[in-house]
Amino acid sequence: MTEKLADIAAAMVAPGKGILAADESSGTIEKRFDSIGVASTEDSRRDYREMLFRAGEGMKNYVSGVILYDETIRQKAKDGTPLVDIMKAAGSIPGIKVDTGAKPLAGQHSKVEVVTEGLDGLRERLAEYHKLGARFAKWRAVITISEGTPTWNCIKANAHALARYAALCQEASIVPIVEPEVLMDGPYSHHDIDRCYEVTEWTQRTVFRELYDARVALEGMVLKPNMVIAGQKCAKQAKPDQVAELTLKCLKATVPSAVPGIAFLSGGQSDEQATENLSLINQIGGAPWRLTFSYGRALQAAALKAWGGKSENVAAGQRAFTHRARMNSLAALGKWNVQQEKAA
Ligand code: 13P
């Protein structure tokens, strides 16, 4: 492994900084825009993301890197500056989502399991993305808890794909974010925190075994896991300190200390819940890796709402984004509290 991969990975999880996931596919961003009554066009998507990337202090102080979608890494701001240059000027590393989405897994009984695709042609795409400025990438695998799932077949297929992706990234001098997401918004009401723990442990163990087989250098990657948390449909919800305790316990049992950092996804938690849980995890202390955020929804929801698709609201959107980024930065240091949340 080159020194460089380890340097990039370390910068991605620098103290008090985290990653902005702004890599929504065209379908997903359309859903987000629908919620504020804005049509999703190439220009509206550009305007929205340009607003975030130009959020001065919010980007500079709290965001180490941004995960982009294929369209965005090629896009220019309204004044013609490449969006990639805007985030670089703010000190953020450009990253790119390279999977092509989760598709139904063949041969299953449950009809809920998916496997992430995108390995074909990935070597060539990574070379191009590197030229476009990307220094890290993301691949999201999805594991669904329901009656009778996940199956070993699903976990194994997704872990194997993650490892092949990660090895290709490192070959291209790109740091892989390895994201095995055990969904919290599954359909199953018996999905309590203990079931989440069990499945997350099984998934992480399998992923690290596959990474080893694929000769992935752990020093040059970042893990992006779910927190250990009850499913949204479960009547028995766990308290934040239990989420923190079990999340850290599960990661300690499965993630080698050679991994420089772990950046959580928010997965459908509310903004404040995602921040509080991260802060509590960090407050426990004693972890061998940095623990930070790589949030999509939990970093963007307030900004999206404040913006509402109107150019006169850009400053308000940026203020909302900066506030969320600052709260999560404090959480990454284990220093967030409700008073700071409300003081803003
Ligand atoms: P959420 O934080 O909205 O779950 O998104 C993070 C992400 O990048 C999922 O792949």
Side-chain angles (χ1 to χ4, degrees):
M1 188 191 57
T2 59
E3 281 291 296
K4 259 185 102 191
L5 282 174
D7 292 346
I8 298 164
M12 288 163 69
V13 295
K17 287 195 174 191
I19 296 162
L20 165 62
D23 60 326
E24 299 84 2
S25 62
S26 304
T28 302
I29 196 78
E30 192 172 345
K31 266 194 264 165
R32 306 276 187 265
F33 280 16
D34 281 350
S35 74
I36 53 163
V38 171
S40 177
T41 65
E42 211 176 310
D43 281 353
S44 64
R45 294 191 290 270
R46 190 266 326 270
D47 290 345
Y48 172 63
R49 286 165 171 154
E50 180 176 349
M51 169 185 83
L52 298 176
F53 306 159
R54 285 196 194 273
E57 295 306 299
M59 284 287 290
K60 243 191 212 101
N61 297 339
Y62 315 123
V63 176
S64 59
V66 183
I67 317 173
L68 302 168
Y69 189 55
D70 180 78
E71 175 185 83
T72 322
I73 200 170
R74 304 169 193 280
Q75 239 170 0
K76 292 191 168 68
K78 223 172 196 155
D79 68 2
T81 315
L83 291 180
V84 163
D85 289 353
I86 292 173
M87 68 189 70
K88 279 201 217 155
S92 281
I93 309 167
I96 182 79
K97 182 230 294 293
V98 299
D99 67 67
T100 55
K103 309 285 160 59
L105 182 68
Q108 61 175 312
H109 296 297
S110 68
K111 299 204 167 62
V112 297
E113 291 198 302
V114 288
V115 63
T116 301
E117 296 188 347
L119 288 170
D120 287 356
L122 182 56
R123 176 176 277 128
E124 293 72 24
R125 289 196 291 130
L126 285 167
E128 192 202 359
Y129 287 137
H130 193 274
K131 278 199 198 114
L132 290 168
R135 292 298 175 267
F136 70 91
K138 181 191 104 172
W139 178 290
R140 173 176 176 253
V142 179
I143 304 297
T144 307
I145 296 178
S146 74
E147 220 171 332
T149 75
T151 61
W152 169 233
N153 184 41
C154 177
I155 291 184
K156 187 176 48 157
N158 276 293
H160 182 74
L162 272 170
R164 285 185 59 196
Y165 140 82
L168 281 164
C169 283
Q170 292 191 336
E171 183 188 276
S173 302
I174 287 179
V175 169
I177 293 185
V178 173
E179 179 179 7
E181 174 175 9
V182 177
L183 287 181
M184 66 180 285
D185 57 1
Y188 192 48
S189 57
H190 299 294
H191 170 172
D192 62 8
I193 192 167
D194 295 328
R195 181 68 182 138
C196 180
Y197 185 100
E198 216 168 62
V199 172
T200 303
E201 181 177 29
W202 186 17
T203 301
Q204 303 287 12
R205 275 195 195 287
T206 310
V207 166
F208 279 97
R209 193 161 54 210
E210 290 284 345
L211 290 171
Y212 172 72
D213 288 347
R215 304 178 63 87
V216 171
L218 301 184
E219 295 80 359
M221 65 162 275
V222 169
L223 179 71
K224 177 163 174 168
N226 52 286
M227 293 179 190
V228 174
I229 196 166
Q232 274 164 341
K233 296 247 161 62
C234 183
K236 202 172 94 197
Q237 290 293 316
K239 298 247 161 22
D241 49 0
Q242 199 189 1
V243 171
E245 187 197 322
L246 290 183
T247 299
L248 192 58
K249 183 176 173 207
C250 186
L251 291 170
K252 277 188 170 170
T254 55
V255 183
S257 56
V259 172
I262 295 176
F264 293 100
L265 58 94
S266 61
Q269 299 183 53
S270 73
D271 296 1
E272 215 175 301
Q273 191 186 11
T275 305
E276 180 179 14
N277 287 339
L278 176 62
S279 197
L280 290 173
I281 292 168
N282 274 301
Q283 275 170 44
I284 297 172
W289 350 258
R290 286 249 155 70
L291 292 155
T292 187
F293 56 92
S294 174
Y295 294 162
R297 284 162 284 181
L299 262 179
Q300 293 185 50
L304 182 71
K305 208 164 149 216
W307 173 63
K310 299 196 175 75
S311 53
E312 63 267 30
N313 292 340
V314 162
Q318 289 171 331
R319 272 198 303 278
F321 173 73
T322 298
H323 172 63
R324 228 34 275 146
R326 191 167 84 84
M327 292 302 108
N328 284 307
S329 163
L330 289 166
L333 299 167
K335 291 182 174 159
W336 174 90
N337 59 48
V338 184
Q339 289 72 33
Q340 273 156 323
E341 185 72 55
K342 303 294 175 223

